[in-house]
């Protein structure tokens, strides 16, 4: 596969792949590059919702659009739409759907309507960030567990839906968003690399420390995760598709385009239960 690196370790623009007809070897290359480069960009693509879903099924297994937010239309229950005219914003650093037991392995995002300028999306490399923490802080973080709670972002939405029922997720219809625990440092299931797995969007607190300590530790990890050298920033063009490893990254969409419309369609690949660093 041919790609341009966007930084020494993180991000790539992939060339020469038409996502509407990926071969078996394209799929293998994409999967490998996704783990290695963590966020991939494909230019000049021609996907519609059907094509995006078909692509996702080639790369992995699809989830519902979101645990509590319905699909873009009845034909596409897997497609999650973010529309700026319908409050679809993502201007808080987050990793997708970490408030569920099994957050997605990855996400595939397609630009549908773009503002003339602005609305760039930023990704942070959670493994690079982990590696560049000092050893004592890594050792502390390795031992910590955090609570993730989707109610702050999506509780109101869930309450509005079909009498408080969301979508089927992990084989069960979601009727409430129970806060759940994940390790603060996640061991990547394919590479064994460690990465910071807390995010301001969904992590509420760290277990077993004071509220003050939790706030201070999370703020330290967030500030470190989002240092400029851990970030790639994408300026969208029509036809762009981004794909990221949701096990090793966080992201943030700039909300700087005023009242212009911006619409993005996302699908997510089914993931596994995050695993932390084994106790030594
Ligand atoms: O709108 C974007 O660029 C990113 C939205 C987002 O957070 C997502 O698709 O998961
Ligand atoms: Fe997201």
């Amino acid at each position: 596969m041919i790609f341009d690196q966007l930084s020494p370790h993180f991000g790539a623009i992939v060339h020469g792949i038409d996502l509407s007809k990926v071969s078996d070897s394209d799929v293998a290359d994409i999967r490998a590059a996704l783990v290695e480069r963590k966020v991939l960009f494909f230019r000049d693509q021609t996907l519609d919702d059907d094509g995006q879903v078909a692509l996702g099924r080639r790369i992995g297994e699809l989830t519902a659009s979101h645990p509590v937010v319905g699909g873009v239309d009845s034909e596409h229950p897997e497609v999650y739409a973010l529309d700026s005219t319908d409050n679809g914003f993502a201007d808080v650093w987050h990793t997708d759907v970490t408030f569920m037991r099994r957050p997605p392995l990855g996400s595939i995002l397609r630009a549908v309507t773009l503002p003339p300028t602005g609305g760039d999306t930023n990704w942070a490399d959670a493994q690079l960030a982990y590696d560049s923490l000092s050893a004592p802080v890594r050792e502390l973080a390795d031992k910590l567990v955090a609570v993730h709670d989707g109610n702050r972002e999506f509780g109101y939405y869930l309450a509005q839906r079909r009498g408080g029922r969301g979508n089927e997720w992990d084989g069960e219809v979601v009727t409430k968003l129970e806060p759940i625990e994940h390790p603060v440092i996640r061991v990547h299931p394919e590479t064994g690399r460690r990465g910071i797995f807390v995010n301001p969007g969904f992590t509420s607190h760290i277990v077993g420390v004071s509220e003050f300590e939790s706030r201070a530790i999370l703020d330290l990890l967030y500030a470190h995760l989002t240092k400029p050298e851990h970030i790639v920033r994408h300026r969208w063009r029509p036809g762009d598709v981004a794909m990221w490893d949701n096990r090793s990254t966080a992201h943030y969409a700039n909300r700087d385009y005023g009242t212009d419309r911006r619409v993005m369609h996302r699908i997510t690949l089914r993931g596994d239960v995050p695993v932390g660093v084994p106790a030594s």
Side-chain angles (χ1 to χ4, degrees):
M1 179 193 314
I2 304 162
F3 60 73
D4 292 329
Q5 298 192 355
L6 292 169
S7 68
H9 304 286
F10 181 39
I13 300 187
V14 178
H15 302 286
I17 290 185
D18 178 349
L19 293 176
S20 71
K21 42 173 190 265
V22 288
S23 67
D24 289 348
S25 78
D26 289 339
V27 170
D29 286 351
I30 290 170
R31 285 292 303 243
L34 191 63
V35 171
E36 192 199 323
R37 302 301 304 182
K38 302 166 204 172
V39 58
L40 306 177
F41 303 99
F42 301 82
R43 300 281 202 191
D44 304 316
Q45 300 295 323
T46 57
L47 298 178
D48 54 11
D49 289 325
D50 287 335
Q52 191 172 2
V53 166
L55 169 68
R57 292 202 175 119
R58 295 279 280 132
I59 308 287
E61 196 188 330
L62 294 187
T63 67
S65 60
H66 183 276
V68 306
V69 183
V72 65
D73 57 38
S74 57
E75 277 75 55
H76 302 99
E78 307 90 350
V79 177
Y80 179 61
L82 278 118
D83 183 337
S84 64
T85 64
D86 188 28
N87 255 306
F89 301 107
D91 55 335
V92 176
W93 280 101
H94 66 283
T95 298
D96 289 333
V97 194
T98 62
F99 52 88
M100 298 300 282
R101 174 81 36 214
R102 287 207 299 172
L105 172 157
S107 302
I108 302 176
L109 183 66
R110 176 167 67 93
V112 176
T113 303
L114 293 172
T117 184
D120 295 1
T121 307
N122 308 271
W123 281 263
D125 183 335
Q127 295 177 336
L128 198 57
Y130 175 83
D131 291 345
S132 65
L133 286 168
S134 64
V137 173
R138 286 201 302 266
E139 279 161 33
L140 168 65
D142 283 350
K143 300 187 189 87
L144 298 174
V145 169
V147 174
H148 296 237
D149 187 348
N151 286 297
R152 293 181 302 173
E153 281 284 324
F154 295 108
Y156 177 79
Y157 194 93
L158 177 62
Q160 306 301 305
R161 273 210 86 207
R162 290 193 279 152
R165 294 167 72 238
N167 294 312
E168 190 178 310
W169 192 272
D170 280 348
E172 279 176 42
V173 174
V174 178
T175 53
K176 55 183 180 312
L177 294 170
E178 295 280 12
I180 52 130
E181 294 184 356
H182 290 305
V184 166
I185 303 303
R186 181 174 189 176
V187 177
H188 195 286
E190 296 187 54
T191 63
R193 281 191 69 184
R194 298 175 188 183
I196 295 172
F197 198 68
V198 283
N199 68 82
F202 303 125
T203 308
S204 59
H205 63 281
I206 293 177
V207 176
V209 303
S210 72
E211 194 181 328
F212 175 79
E213 290 166 328
S214 170
R215 186 73 269 142
I217 294 168
L218 288 173
D219 284 347
L220 180 153
L221 293 174
Y222 297 157
H224 185 74
L225 174 65
T226 57
K227 280 175 74 174
E229 56 269 57
H230 302 147
I231 304 288
V232 296
R233 173 170 173 165
H234 186 64
R235 177 169 297 177
W236 293 92
R237 296 197 317 218
D240 280 357
V241 173
M243 211 182 278
W244 61 93
D245 188 332
N246 198 54
R247 303 164 296 188
S248 54
T249 59
H251 54 278
Y252 179 113
N254 293 358
R255 184 176 172 180
D256 56 356
Y257 43 88
T259 55
D260 287 324
R261 193 168 185 204
R262 180 178 183 275
V263 181
M264 310 294 282
H265 285 188
R266 184 188 84 187
I267 55 174
T268 47
L269 305 171
R270 195 176 297 283
D272 50 14
V273 177
V275 172
V277 177
S280 54

